[in-house]
Every structure is written in C-alpha cells, then in structure tokens.
Amino acid sequence: MKRWTQFLLCFLLSGGIWLIHNLSQKYTGVVSVSVAAHSGLKGRSASASTAVPVSARCSATGFRLLRLNHQNRDVHINVNEEDLVFSGGDRYTVSAAEMAKYSSDIFGEGVDLVTFLNQSYTFEFQPENFKTVPVRPVFSVSYKPQYMAAGPMSLSPDEVTVYGDADQLARVDEVLTKTLNFNDLSKSISGAVKLVPVPGVRMSDSDVTWSLSVVRYVELTSDVTIGTRNVPPDVSFSVYPSRTQATFKCLFPAKTDPASVCEFYVDYDEFLKSESGRCVARAAHMPSYVLGWNLEQDIFDCMVREEQE
C-alpha cells in the first residue's frame, strides 16, 4: 500500500511539473475580453452604456491565455476621441487598427496581439446636457523690483465642458483653479493645477496647465500732449489739461522713448456719449516693447463750441 501511495505521489508530482512546464510555454490562441470604453466625447456620457466583447488571436504563455479566457470582469480602457468614428445614433466605432493601440490595456502586459477577429468594434455613448465655460485662474503673485508679468496667465485648456442637468448647468458660468501663490518672481514659471470641483456636475478636465511670462522692465516718464480724434470740421473741441505726464513700463533694455512714437487722444464720439463731459484718454501706436503705461491724469475735461458762420 505504501508503494502505491509513493507511486501516486510521484505521478502527481511529475504530472504537475509537466503541466507547469507546458503552460509556461508560449502559445497562440483566441481570447475574448469584455471591454468597457470611456472617452471624452463632447456632449456624451463619459462611459459607454454597455461593455463590448473583443476577440483576438494573441500570443502568450498558456497560463496567461487560460486566465484571459476565464476572467469574468470587464476591462476598462480610455479611448481617445479621435479614434471614435460616429456611426449614427449613439454609436461610435473603433477600427481594429485603432483598437490595436489599446491592446496592452485590453489583454495586459506579456500578451502580444496577432490580429483582431473583427474589423471594428462599436460602443454606445448616451447624450448628456452640457455647456462650455471659461476657466479662471486664481492666484496671488509678487515680483522682485523691476520685474513684472509680460501678460495675463496663460491656461491650456482655457475652457472646459461641464455636464449635468439643466438647472445645475444654469448656475455654472466659470470654473476656478485651485489657488496658486508666488512670491518675489524674477523669471517665467509654468506648471499644472487642479480645477475646483463643481458640486453636481462632471467636468471634461480635472486640471489645466498654466504659464506666466515674467520679464524685467525699466520705467520711463515723458511729458505728452493729449490730442483729439473724430472731431467734425465745424466743431471746436478742446481738452483740459492738454498736457500731462506719462509713465511707461518698457521691456529692459528700452529701445527708444515711447513718447516719440505713440499718441494720446480723447475721442469726440466718446465725449458725445458722456453725461459729465469728462473722458478717458486713449493711446495709439504704442510700441510692442511697452508692457504697460499710465497717465498722471487719466480723465480729462472736454469742452465743445460750434463755430458760427
């Protein structure tokens, strides 16, 4: 009896070794996986309504092929919008060639795709209420002396699509970034920041990239004349005072005095719309190297007198 027991144990052990050895070898076979697709299609749900069986001929170890054919869970993949082709109704189709991009996500590492058994796969994405709103950066910043921002903070993307019911969407006019804080800047900076979630709605993006261009500047001051524009030939139009001091923040090093190039003026058409007779001066032909400017006096009293024939 003892010999039979030993013989049986040896048989099972050798059989197990044989099985492990063979299943460790690489084979080519057909596997089928249930795929749940997710995407960022505008105006559509983030997830396909149903999973789709995806069958393919693959090369992998026997263990891996057996595991793929007996798994009972859906495999979730994120499909790029450009790979989904609208095919009518709520249906979007991914060709086998495009689906090959996601083979490692579908079948896992260590599995080599030979070919899909179908030419394309179709997923259904249901429509959703949506609107597109701007993203507004929230930040606090200070600069070292003689440094400033060359322009507003740049965001990418600078708008997002939000999804929800009509009442919720009506209350959303913009999406904010989480607060950014910077101190004593003297060089350009960039990065990524999360968006502040809006309760009850889904957003197409959860974060954005940002950049802030910082430059060195020099201040120049000049005495400038305030001219006029759009004055009819039969109207005498005067601006008081007719001169003031202008301060320019120019990109360092400054090329020339901006006052020799630009022009400050009061627009007669704006005066006609003014109830007080006071107008803000405008600027024209401002050089591109001027980052900002201000006048010592920016609001001017205007008087008009029609000439008598």
Side-chain angles (χ1 to χ4, degrees):
M1 183 68 180
K2 186 176 181 181
R3 287 183 178 180
W4 278 105
T5 302
Q6 290 176 338
F7 174 77
L8 182 60
L9 288 174
C10 289
F11 177 78
L12 291 174
L13 180 60
S14 62
I17 293 173
W18 177 86
L19 182 63
I20 291 172
H21 171 75
N22 279 275
L23 290 178
S24 298
Q25 301 302 308
K26 204 159 189 179
Y27 300 90
T28 297
V30 174
V31 296
S32 184
V33 176
S34 180
V35 174
H38 307 272
S39 191
L41 290 167
K42 190 170 184 177
R44 298 282 174 171
S45 61
S47 304
S49 55
T50 56
V52 172
V54 174
S55 299
R57 189 176 298 279
C58 297
S59 177
T61 64
F63 282 115
R64 193 75 181 98
L65 293 176
L66 281 174
R67 190 179 303 118
L68 282 171
N69 275 321
H70 289 86
Q71 71 178 17
N72 296 317
R73 61 179 179 82
D74 294 336
V75 174
H76 295 263
I77 63 170
N78 293 311
V79 183
N80 293 329
E81 297 95 303
E82 57 267 24
D83 294 335
L84 290 161
V85 178
F86 179 68
S87 53
D90 301 327
R91 300 185 305 278
Y92 289 82
T93 299
V94 184
S95 68
E98 299 296 343
M99 187 68 87
K101 300 177 183 178
Y102 311 98
S103 60
S104 60
D105 296 326
I106 296 171
F107 304 112
E109 298 296 330
V111 179
D112 296 323
L113 172 68
V114 178
T115 183
F116 285 106
L117 299 190
N118 298 90
Q119 294 301 309
S120 62
Y121 297 89
T122 299
F123 300 90
E124 291 190 1
F125 291 88
Q126 300 297 321
E128 285 188 356
N129 294 320
F130 73 96
K131 66 187 291 189
T132 300
V133 297
V135 178
R136 180 165 64 86
V138 179
F139 65 99
S140 172
V141 59
S142 64
Y143 304 92
K144 287 185 177 180
Q146 300 301 114
Y147 287 89
M148 65 178 290
M153 177 177 284
S154 174
L155 298 178
S156 180
D158 59 3
E159 60 181 22
V160 296
T161 304
V162 292
Y163 299 84
D165 63 46
D167 290 338
Q168 290 171 319
L169 293 181
R171 295 192 289 269
V172 182
D173 295 318
E174 63 181 4
V175 171
L176 307 179
T177 67
K178 289 187 178 293
T179 303
L180 298 165
N181 294 293
F182 312 106
N183 296 308
D184 295 330
L185 291 184
S186 60
K187 63 180 181 179
S188 300
I189 54 174
S190 61
V193 62
K194 293 288 186 182
L195 299 179
V196 177
V198 179
V201 304
R202 175 175 66 86
M203 297 189 293
S204 60
D205 297 271
S206 59
D207 54 44
V208 296
T209 58
W210 57 267
S211 61
L212 184 65
S213 179
V214 177
V215 295
R216 187 178 177 185
Y217 72 90
V218 60
E219 278 193 352
L220 301 176
T221 58
S222 297
D223 190 50
V224 296
T225 300
I226 308 300
T228 60
R229 280 195 177 184
N230 298 319
V231 181
D234 60 342
V235 172
S236 175
F237 184 60
S238 302
V239 178
Y240 299 97
S242 59
R243 301 187 66 83
T244 190
Q245 189 176 74
T247 301
F248 304 91
K249 289 184 177 180
C250 303
L251 191 64
F252 180 85
K255 299 178 180 179
T256 58
D257 183 0
S260 65
V261 180
C262 69
E263 173 190 354
F264 293 97
Y265 65 92
V266 169
D267 193 318
Y268 180 75
D269 291 337
E270 290 187 8
F271 166 75
L272 294 178
K273 299 175 184 177
S274 171
E275 295 182 357
S276 64
R278 311 188 75 200
C279 294
V280 176
R282 308 296 180 185
H285 314 302
M286 190 65 68
S288 60
Y289 59 84
V290 176
L291 302 172
W293 58 269
N294 68 279
L295 299 177
E296 185 177 45
Q297 179 169 334
D298 54 0
I299 299 179
F300 296 83
D301 292 310
C302 302
M303 294 182 62
V304 62
R305 178 174 60 84
E306 293 188 8
E307 296 183 356
Q308 301 294 326
E309 294 185 358

